[in-house]
Amino acid sequence: MNAEIITIGDEILIGQIVDTNSAFLGQQLNKIGIDILQITSIKDEQDTILKALKDAENRVDVIITTGGLGPTKDDLTKHTMCRFFNDELVLDQNTLQHVEDIFEKYVNHPILEANRSQAYLPSKCIALNNQYGTAPGMWFEKEGKVYIALPGVPFEMKGLVRKEVIPRLKDRFNRPFILHKTVLTYGLGESAIADKIEAWHNNLPKFIKLAYLPSLGRVRLRLTARGDDEEVLQSSINKEIKKLHELIGDIIKGYEDENTIEENIAKSLTDKHLTLATAESCTGGRLAAKFTEIPGASAYFKGSIVSYATSAKHDVLNISKDFIQAHSVVSAEITKEMALSVQNLFKSDIAVATTGNAGPTKGDSDAEIGTVFIALAHLSEVTVKKFNFGNHRERVTQKAVNKALEMLYDRLKD
Amino acid sequence: MNAEIITIGDEILIGQIVDTNSAFLGQQLNKIGIDILQITSIKDEQDTILKALKDAENRVDVIITTGGLGPTKDDLTKHTMCRFFNDELVLDQNTLQHVEDIFEKYVNHPILEANRSQAYLPSKCIALNNQYGTAPGMWFEKEGKVYIALPGVPFEMKGLVRKEVIPRLKDRFNRPFILHKTVLTYGLGESAIADKIEAWHNNLPKFIKLAYLPSLGRVRLRLTARGDDEEVLQSSINKEIKKLHELIGDIIKGYEDENTIEENIAKSLTDKHLTLATAESCTGGRLAAKFTEIPGASAYFKGSIVSYATSAKHDVLNISKDFIQAHSVVSAEITKEMALSVQNLFKSDIAVATTGNAGPTKGDSDAEIGTVFIALAHLSEVTVKKFNFGNHRERVTQKAVNKALEMLYDRLKD
């Protein structure tokens, strides 16, 4: 069972937007045992779309397109599907009702002919109800293959995939199992890990594949097993992970399954009834954003003070000007004070603080570009660590966020 | 002049990472007049890569691959290039020196054979120096076409594109001009805009194309002109934009060229010597993160208080418990107080505050899910607006960030 994703739209090709839809589709299809062989992004031109559909049906069983379903002239997918399936547009009453309802409820201008025209669909398709927008998805079948057209707006597409596409694909096809297990490591580079696990890698069973995913100070090792017997796959993966632990157990920090590291931290804090606050200088609110992304964050996350300007460390975090002067604004001492100060202000059990110099210029400190201090206050105990994350602004802040999460995660595991 | 991007790696197809490399490459190539016809993401298997290269060379002049250049066994691009060009690997002394230097300077374990092997490159390629990593890029030519292989790590790839790929492509090819001008609108939906500008759209010159890009309460209209005479393209686009202003001038809020709305705000604040602070509840640090992304933010951005828990509004922002009780935590009154409180604490000229209920559950307030209040304090003047951004958590917070930026931008333009 395999699939191809075709994303339609010049905005992807000229880099005006990043295509996040494909990643979401890849995850969701993979979970039900459908392998994505290719993702193809193309222009919204009828002939190009037709060619891509023809090429894809020679490769795969399921073809999913996103984009080109809006109400305007540059949205061509529906008409192209009519050409591809030798079909014509007919009015779908349910869709018309849905479009009219949305306009009545949410839109501040009267419904237009262009909106009503969204209810005209190819006669051969099954309309998939789009709960977040006016453009329905479309499901076609031809000679044992399935063709699905979805809107390009991410949350509309996601809603359709969860509510309509996945359940229908599960019903429609017998699928094998694909299991992934991703081991999260930090502390050693990709090539050094490869050196340590070479013999093990060479002896992996044929149905298990290993991939290295290095990123910002972490290396993830992904094991993928494919086959018809889920139990065999699961036990084989577990056996290999056990062997891996004997080889590099010291750098294995956990597993990336469904959960991100921040979700694991959230769970741990909630379970232990602990609360958290952050004081952020170089990470500029990104740590807080990570935590508040997760529904239910108010159970453990009190808040954050982004003390970006040096004056804010004095005015808001109440660190004395003399102390800042004495130690410099990017220093272990200040970072420690920041953690204690937010812990006190927010009345939280745990506090994390970051300061650093992400570059490109030195700012209000003498610290070398790339220098980052991270402090962790847990009740009355404070630890501070110093890092150098190199000379690339975006990378420095991202690595600082990652490292802060790792320090917190390690601390909560103790 | 056109190109295809081939991104290699199972992690893209199973959705473990979002492919941001293609968008960056699309932007950069477009700027120098190279049109991306297709982006193809495939598995890291030799036969699949070979097939993709062959298909691409039938379509385009320039083929760029990313990924598969690491030091480990699952990195196959280099060997595949040897098969494709009927070539063999030879030691490149400059690259070896570079790899040894990096290990000496940044890596905490000794250099391994796998790392040294990164200096073996196909004899027919020109090595492109990777200033941020050990894997060089590779440049091949065959029958008038150019093939470029780049590492998949984003900041390594970006460095190589800026320093090596773009200058070489500019030298190598005569290119036409591609000009984009994107008009930013907010306040009217896609179909309503289309209705107003239909006649104008139908009369656009053939070399100018219009696209609608709706996203989170904004609709961007992108005009793209292609041709050999840059001046003609520029003046034609300007003429059409002028006509557009006559039709929908009331909803046109600016242009998206190189600058994002937050960059325009940053520039405006810096020019006017104004400082900014934010108080964030439902946006959870995302506003602060937007501002601190921009180098030089410390010139105008003082910081933020993320008062996520209700207690933080009292403990940190000093809003009295009775006042919170009287008005409920998601209310115009509290949002206004939050703005005034951070303005006072950070001693900033301007403050923006957000509260809201992003769902999925109601939390500490009675406000309907999707309700968001945004307050803007400018010196002693405070305005508050109420919105409903629907029932999707991620969308609600993103729309709140967008709307807060828009309110600030509108205010600074006055």
Side-chain angles (χ1 to χ4, degrees), chain B residues 24-46:
Chain B
F24 176 81
L25 281 163
Q27 281 166 22
Q28 299 298 314
L29 268 68
N30 225 262
K31 266 188 210 161
I32 61 165
I34 298 178
D35 222 4
I36 310 289
L37 290 195
Q38 183 165 322
I39 300 165
T40 311
S41 303
I42 50 169
K43 299 195 169 222
D44 36 17
E45 295 166 348
Q46 286 216 21

PDB file of all heavy atoms in Angstrom, chain B residues 24-46:
ATOM      1  N   PHE B  24      13.134  27.819   0.898  1.00  0.00           N
ATOM      2  CA  PHE B  24      14.292  28.715   0.837  1.00  0.00           C
ATOM      3  C   PHE B  24      14.904  28.704  -0.566  1.00  0.00           C
ATOM      4  O   PHE B  24      15.182  29.759  -1.152  1.00  0.00           O
ATOM      5  CB  PHE B  24      15.329  28.292   1.879  1.00  0.00           C
ATOM      6  CG  PHE B  24      16.593  29.089   1.817  1.00  0.00           C
ATOM      7  CD1 PHE B  24      16.662  30.343   2.402  1.00  0.00           C
ATOM      8  CD2 PHE B  24      17.707  28.611   1.140  1.00  0.00           C
ATOM      9  CE1 PHE B  24      17.820  31.099   2.324  1.00  0.00           C
ATOM     10  CE2 PHE B  24      18.867  29.357   1.054  1.00  0.00           C
ATOM     11  CZ  PHE B  24      18.925  30.604   1.654  1.00  0.00           C
ATOM     12  N   LEU B  25      15.104  27.513  -1.116  1.00  0.00           N
ATOM     13  CA  LEU B  25      15.683  27.418  -2.461  1.00  0.00           C
ATOM     14  C   LEU B  25      14.787  28.090  -3.491  1.00  0.00           C
ATOM     15  O   LEU B  25      15.270  28.787  -4.393  1.00  0.00           O
ATOM     16  CB  LEU B  25      15.891  25.941  -2.834  1.00  0.00           C
ATOM     17  CG  LEU B  25      17.131  25.292  -2.226  1.00  0.00           C
ATOM     18  CD1 LEU B  25      17.026  23.765  -2.292  1.00  0.00           C
ATOM     19  CD2 LEU B  25      18.391  25.751  -2.976  1.00  0.00           C
ATOM     20  N   GLY B  26      13.473  27.875  -3.360  1.00  0.00           N
ATOM     21  CA  GLY B  26      12.529  28.502  -4.287  1.00  0.00           C
ATOM     22  C   GLY B  26      12.666  30.017  -4.281  1.00  0.00           C
ATOM     23  O   GLY B  26      12.748  30.656  -5.332  1.00  0.00           O
ATOM     24  N   GLN B  27      12.725  30.590  -3.083  1.00  0.00           N
ATOM     25  CA  GLN B  27      12.873  32.045  -2.958  1.00  0.00           C
ATOM     26  C   GLN B  27      14.153  32.540  -3.626  1.00  0.00           C
ATOM     27  O   GLN B  27      14.158  33.494  -4.383  1.00  0.00           O
ATOM     28  CB  GLN B  27      12.970  32.444  -1.486  1.00  0.00           C
ATOM     29  CG  GLN B  27      11.666  32.491  -0.741  1.00  0.00           C
ATOM     30  CD  GLN B  27      11.909  32.558   0.772  1.00  0.00           C
ATOM     31  OE1 GLN B  27      12.977  32.968   1.213  1.00  0.00           O
ATOM     32  NE2 GLN B  27      10.925  32.148   1.540  1.00  0.00           N
ATOM     33  N   GLN B  28      15.266  31.879  -3.280  1.00  0.00           N
ATOM     34  CA  GLN B  28      16.564  32.344  -3.747  1.00  0.00           C
ATOM     35  C   GLN B  28      16.698  32.233  -5.259  1.00  0.00           C
ATOM     36  O   GLN B  28      17.224  33.131  -5.910  1.00  0.00           O
ATOM     37  CB  GLN B  28      17.692  31.558  -3.058  1.00  0.00           C
ATOM     38  CG  GLN B  28      17.720  31.706  -1.544  1.00  0.00           C
ATOM     39  CD  GLN B  28      17.959  33.131  -1.105  1.00  0.00           C
ATOM     40  OE1 GLN B  28      18.838  33.802  -1.618  1.00  0.00           O
ATOM     41  NE2 GLN B  28      17.149  33.607  -0.169  1.00  0.00           N
ATOM     42  N   LEU B  29      16.249  31.120  -5.825  1.00  0.00           N
ATOM     43  CA  LEU B  29      16.365  30.931  -7.271  1.00  0.00           C
ATOM     44  C   LEU B  29      15.447  31.891  -8.020  1.00  0.00           C
ATOM     45  O   LEU B  29      15.820  32.452  -9.051  1.00  0.00           O
ATOM     46  CB  LEU B  29      16.058  29.473  -7.656  1.00  0.00           C
ATOM     47  CG  LEU B  29      17.308  28.588  -7.690  1.00  0.00           C
ATOM     48  CD1 LEU B  29      17.881  28.385  -6.314  1.00  0.00           C
ATOM     49  CD2 LEU B  29      17.035  27.274  -8.378  1.00  0.00           C
ATOM     50  N   ASN B  30      14.261  32.065  -7.480  1.00  0.00           N
ATOM     51  CA  ASN B  30      13.302  32.972  -8.101  1.00  0.00           C
ATOM     52  C   ASN B  30      13.833  34.382  -8.218  1.00  0.00           C
ATOM     53  O   ASN B  30      13.638  35.059  -9.217  1.00  0.00           O
ATOM     54  CB  ASN B  30      12.033  32.960  -7.260  1.00  0.00           C
ATOM     55  CG  ASN B  30      10.826  32.869  -8.139  1.00  0.00           C
ATOM     56  OD1 ASN B  30      10.203  33.880  -8.424  1.00  0.00           O
ATOM     57  ND2 ASN B  30      10.528  31.681  -8.644  1.00  0.00           N
ATOM     58  N   LYS B  31      14.531  34.812  -7.170  1.00  0.00           N
ATOM     59  CA  LYS B  31      15.083  36.166  -7.147  1.00  0.00           C
ATOM     60  C   LYS B  31      16.054  36.414  -8.289  1.00  0.00           C
ATOM     61  O   LYS B  31      16.232  37.542  -8.723  1.00  0.00           O
ATOM     62  CB  LYS B  31      15.836  36.389  -5.832  1.00  0.00           C
ATOM     63  CG  LYS B  31      14.991  37.034  -4.769  1.00  0.00           C
ATOM     64  CD  LYS B  31      15.879  37.386  -3.583  1.00  0.00           C
ATOM     65  CE  LYS B  31      15.067  37.325  -2.314  1.00  0.00           C
ATOM     66  NZ  LYS B  31      15.897  37.199  -1.121  1.00  0.00           N
ATOM     67  N   ILE B  32      16.748  35.357  -8.755  1.00  0.00           N
ATOM     68  CA  ILE B  32      17.680  35.559  -9.863  1.00  0.00           C
ATOM     69  C   ILE B  32      17.077  35.069 -11.184  1.00  0.00           C
ATOM     70  O   ILE B  32      17.795  34.773 -12.145  1.00  0.00           O
ATOM     71  CB  ILE B  32      19.054  34.908  -9.597  1.00  0.00           C
ATOM     72  CG1 ILE B  32      18.923  33.393  -9.412  1.00  0.00           C
ATOM     73  CG2 ILE B  32      19.727  35.533  -8.377  1.00  0.00           C
ATOM     74  CD1 ILE B  32      20.249  32.653  -9.505  1.00  0.00           C
ATOM     75  N   GLY B  33      15.741  34.972 -11.226  1.00  0.00           N
ATOM     76  CA  GLY B  33      15.071  34.694 -12.494  1.00  0.00           C
ATOM     77  C   GLY B  33      15.019  33.235 -12.893  1.00  0.00           C
ATOM     78  O   GLY B  33      14.804  32.912 -14.056  1.00  0.00           O
ATOM     79  N   ILE B  34      15.229  32.342 -11.926  1.00  0.00           N
ATOM     80  CA  ILE B  34      15.105  30.912 -12.243  1.00  0.00           C
ATOM     81  C   ILE B  34      13.791  30.400 -11.670  1.00  0.00           C
ATOM     82  O   ILE B  34      13.516  30.558 -10.485  1.00  0.00           O
ATOM     83  CB  ILE B  34      16.315  30.112 -11.697  1.00  0.00           C
ATOM     84  CG1 ILE B  34      17.599  30.610 -12.356  1.00  0.00           C
ATOM     85  CG2 ILE B  34      16.110  28.614 -11.939  1.00  0.00           C
ATOM     86  CD1 ILE B  34      18.859  29.937 -11.856  1.00  0.00           C
ATOM     87  N   ASP B  35      12.999  29.802 -12.539  1.00  0.00           N
ATOM     88  CA  ASP B  35      11.657  29.345 -12.228  1.00  0.00           C
ATOM     89  C   ASP B  35      11.731  27.899 -11.717  1.00  0.00           C
ATOM     90  O   ASP B  35      12.290  27.050 -12.388  1.00  0.00           O
ATOM     91  CB  ASP B  35      10.899  29.335 -13.569  1.00  0.00           C
ATOM     92  CG  ASP B  35       9.522  29.867 -13.439  1.00  0.00           C
ATOM     93  OD1 ASP B  35       9.147  30.315 -12.348  1.00  0.00           O
ATOM     94  OD2 ASP B  35       8.802  29.827 -14.452  1.00  0.00           O
ATOM     95  N   ILE B  36      11.151  27.637 -10.551  1.00  0.00           N
ATOM     96  CA  ILE B  36      11.093  26.240 -10.084  1.00  0.00           C
ATOM     97  C   ILE B  36       9.845  25.592 -10.678  1.00  0.00           C
ATOM     98  O   ILE B  36       8.737  26.028 -10.413  1.00  0.00           O
ATOM     99  CB  ILE B  36      10.982  26.159  -8.538  1.00  0.00           C
ATOM    100  CG1 ILE B  36      12.025  27.027  -7.860  1.00  0.00           C
ATOM    101  CG2 ILE B  36      11.053  24.711  -8.073  1.00  0.00           C
ATOM    102  CD1 ILE B  36      13.400  26.521  -7.968  1.00  0.00           C
ATOM    103  N   LEU B  37      10.018  24.568 -11.504  1.00  0.00           N
ATOM    104  CA  LEU B  37       8.864  23.898 -12.094  1.00  0.00           C
ATOM    105  C   LEU B  37       8.297  22.828 -11.187  1.00  0.00           C
ATOM    106  O   LEU B  37       7.120  22.520 -11.216  1.00  0.00           O
ATOM    107  CB  LEU B  37       9.245  23.242 -13.426  1.00  0.00           C
ATOM    108  CG  LEU B  37       9.539  24.154 -14.596  1.00  0.00           C
ATOM    109  CD1 LEU B  37       9.533  23.345 -15.892  1.00  0.00           C
ATOM    110  CD2 LEU B  37       8.484  25.255 -14.694  1.00  0.00           C
ATOM    111  N   GLN B  38       9.157  22.205 -10.391  1.00  0.00           N
ATOM    112  CA  GLN B  38       8.680  21.098  -9.564  1.00  0.00           C
ATOM    113  C   GLN B  38       9.595  20.890  -8.362  1.00  0.00           C
ATOM    114  O   GLN B  38      10.801  21.105  -8.449  1.00  0.00           O
ATOM    115  CB  GLN B  38       8.620  19.812 -10.413  1.00  0.00           C
ATOM    116  CG  GLN B  38       8.059  18.615  -9.677  1.00  0.00           C
ATOM    117  CD  GLN B  38       7.668  17.459 -10.604  1.00  0.00           C
ATOM    118  OE1 GLN B  38       7.151  17.666 -11.700  1.00  0.00           O
ATOM    119  NE2 GLN B  38       7.918  16.235 -10.152  1.00  0.00           N
ATOM    120  N   ILE B  39       8.983  20.478  -7.265  1.00  0.00           N
ATOM    121  CA  ILE B  39       9.747  20.000  -6.108  1.00  0.00           C
ATOM    122  C   ILE B  39       9.357  18.544  -5.920  1.00  0.00           C
ATOM    123  O   ILE B  39       8.171  18.214  -5.878  1.00  0.00           O
ATOM    124  CB  ILE B  39       9.396  20.787  -4.831  1.00  0.00           C
ATOM    125  CG1 ILE B  39       9.692  22.274  -4.998  1.00  0.00           C
ATOM    126  CG2 ILE B  39      10.162  20.219  -3.630  1.00  0.00           C
ATOM    127  CD1 ILE B  39       9.047  23.163  -3.948  1.00  0.00           C
ATOM    128  N   THR B  40      10.346  17.677  -5.826  1.00  0.00           N
ATOM    129  CA  THR B  40      10.067  16.251  -5.703  1.00  0.00           C
ATOM    130  C   THR B  40      10.761  15.725  -4.453  1.00  0.00           C
ATOM    131  O   THR B  40      11.964  15.881  -4.306  1.00  0.00           O
ATOM    132  CB  THR B  40      10.608  15.497  -6.948  1.00  0.00           C
ATOM    133  OG1 THR B  40      10.157  16.172  -8.118  1.00  0.00           O
ATOM    134  CG2 THR B  40      10.142  14.064  -6.975  1.00  0.00           C
ATOM    135  N   SER B  41      10.010  15.124  -3.561  1.00  0.00           N
ATOM    136  CA  SER B  41      10.605  14.527  -2.368  1.00  0.00           C
ATOM    137  C   SER B  41      10.539  13.019  -2.481  1.00  0.00           C
ATOM    138  O   SER B  41       9.472  12.465  -2.753  1.00  0.00           O
ATOM    139  CB  SER B  41       9.851  14.962  -1.108  1.00  0.00           C
ATOM    140  OG  SER B  41       9.852  16.361  -1.014  1.00  0.00           O
ATOM    141  N   ILE B  42      11.704  12.375  -2.271  1.00  0.00           N
ATOM    142  CA  ILE B  42      11.774  10.922  -2.494  1.00  0.00           C
ATOM    143  C   ILE B  42      12.552  10.228  -1.387  1.00  0.00           C
ATOM    144  O   ILE B  42      13.225  10.861  -0.580  1.00  0.00           O
ATOM    145  CB  ILE B  42      12.462  10.619  -3.845  1.00  0.00           C
ATOM    146  CG1 ILE B  42      13.790  11.399  -3.940  1.00  0.00           C
ATOM    147  CG2 ILE B  42      11.559  10.943  -5.017  1.00  0.00           C
ATOM    148  CD1 ILE B  42      14.651  10.977  -5.100  1.00  0.00           C
ATOM    149  N   LYS B  43      12.473   8.912  -1.385  1.00  0.00           N
ATOM    150  CA  LYS B  43      13.196   8.079  -0.429  1.00  0.00           C
ATOM    151  C   LYS B  43      14.693   8.065  -0.724  1.00  0.00           C
ATOM    152  O   LYS B  43      15.096   8.223  -1.871  1.00  0.00           O
ATOM    153  CB  LYS B  43      12.699   6.639  -0.539  1.00  0.00           C
ATOM    154  CG  LYS B  43      11.253   6.502  -0.219  1.00  0.00           C
ATOM    155  CD  LYS B  43      10.896   5.045   0.012  1.00  0.00           C
ATOM    156  CE  LYS B  43       9.502   5.013   0.597  1.00  0.00           C
ATOM    157  NZ  LYS B  43       9.367   4.061   1.684  1.00  0.00           N
ATOM    158  N   ASP B  44      15.497   7.796   0.309  1.00  0.00           N
ATOM    159  CA  ASP B  44      16.928   7.686   0.052  1.00  0.00           C
ATOM    160  C   ASP B  44      17.302   6.260  -0.352  1.00  0.00           C
ATOM    161  O   ASP B  44      17.882   5.504   0.415  1.00  0.00           O
ATOM    162  CB  ASP B  44      17.784   8.200   1.224  1.00  0.00           C
ATOM    163  CG  ASP B  44      17.199   7.905   2.578  1.00  0.00           C
ATOM    164  OD1 ASP B  44      16.315   7.034   2.643  1.00  0.00           O
ATOM    165  OD2 ASP B  44      17.624   8.523   3.551  1.00  0.00           O
ATOM    166  N   GLU B  45      16.928   5.927  -1.579  1.00  0.00           N
ATOM    167  CA  GLU B  45      17.286   4.647  -2.196  1.00  0.00           C
ATOM    168  C   GLU B  45      17.925   4.977  -3.536  1.00  0.00           C
ATOM    169  O   GLU B  45      17.400   5.816  -4.283  1.00  0.00           O
ATOM    170  CB  GLU B  45      16.030   3.804  -2.462  1.00  0.00           C
ATOM    171  CG  GLU B  45      15.315   3.370  -1.207  1.00  0.00           C
ATOM    172  CD  GLU B  45      13.900   2.834  -1.485  1.00  0.00           C
ATOM    173  OE1 GLU B  45      13.396   3.023  -2.622  1.00  0.00           O
ATOM    174  OE2 GLU B  45      13.328   2.268  -0.560  1.00  0.00           O
ATOM    175  N   GLN B  46      19.038   4.316  -3.846  1.00  0.00           N
ATOM    176  CA  GLN B  46      19.794   4.672  -5.049  1.00  0.00           C
ATOM    177  C   GLN B  46      18.938   4.672  -6.319  1.00  0.00           C
ATOM    178  O   GLN B  46      18.979   5.634  -7.092  1.00  0.00           O
ATOM    179  CB  GLN B  46      20.970   3.706  -5.223  1.00  0.00           C
ATOM    180  CG  GLN B  46      22.098   3.963  -4.240  1.00  0.00           C
ATOM    181  CD  GLN B  46      23.467   3.720  -4.882  1.00  0.00           C
ATOM    182  OE1 GLN B  46      23.611   3.742  -6.110  1.00  0.00           O
ATOM    183  NE2 GLN B  46      24.468   3.505  -4.059  1.00  0.00           N
TER     184      GLN B  46
END
